[in-house]
Amino acid sequence: MSQMRAQRVGEQMKKELSDILMREVKDPRVEFVTVTGVDVTGDLQQATVYFTVLGESEEEEEETLKALRQAKGFIRSEIGKRIQLRKTPDIEFDFDESIAYGNRIEKLINDLKKEK
């Protein structure tokens, strides 16, 4: 039962985080961020936010991660205002590697098709 609630809270956080990052955070390093998922622990105390960055250079990813970590307090307070929970989960940001991995696999498959 609590795992199902954690998933619902994660989906709501994902929706609200996307809106906060798009409209509220004014840091130019956070302009092209897409939230791909949020994992919330069963006790709703911690949340890991997975994101991707348009452009995908290593420097842009690192700068965006730094900016998100600096804005963590503001983002957490905004989440607390928008989602009615007893305690707002502690947020940790992590880069989502699955998009880059999928692009790499697609490129390999296309290269194999060209060789035939």
Side-chain angles (χ1 to χ4, degrees):
M1 177 79 172
S2 68
Q3 192 63 22
M4 191 176 233
R5 181 162 189 243
Q7 289 175 346
R8 286 193 321 238
V9 169
E11 285 300 314
Q12 184 66 27
M13 282 183 68
K14 178 181 170 184
K15 178 182 159 203
E16 296 298 338
L17 276 166
S18 296
D19 186 55
I20 290 168
L21 292 176
M22 186 171 57
R23 297 173 193 225
E24 304 291 331
V25 177
K26 303 295 184 204
D27 194 325
R29 299 174 290 181
V30 186
E31 285 183 7
F32 303 111
V33 173
T34 303
V35 178
T36 57
V38 178
D39 287 340
V40 181
T41 57
D43 60 358
L44 305 178
Q45 296 295 310
Q46 296 182 342
T48 304
V49 177
Y50 296 98
F51 68 94
T52 59
V53 180
L54 186 68
E56 299 184 20
S57 73
E58 288 288 325
E59 296 85 25
E60 287 177 355
E61 291 172 8
E62 289 300 318
E63 288 300 314
T64 302
L65 186 58
K66 285 180 190 176
L68 288 173
R69 287 184 176 155
Q70 287 177 348
K72 181 166 74 168
F74 171 75
I75 292 169
R76 186 172 180 220
S77 68
E78 284 294 313
I79 291 288
K81 291 175 189 174
R82 295 176 183 211
I83 300 176
Q84 298 299 316
L85 294 172
R86 233 177 242 161
K87 183 173 187 270
T88 305
D90 186 40
I91 299 172
E92 187 64 37
F93 293 98
D94 197 11
F95 188 73
D96 189 1
E97 302 288 339
S98 64
I99 304 293
Y101 182 75
N103 288 340
R104 182 173 170 265
I105 296 296
E106 184 178 4
K107 181 183 178 298
L108 291 172
I109 289 172
N110 287 338
D111 290 345
L112 284 173
K113 286 181 181 177
K114 287 179 183 176
E115 288 180 9
K116 288 185 178 183

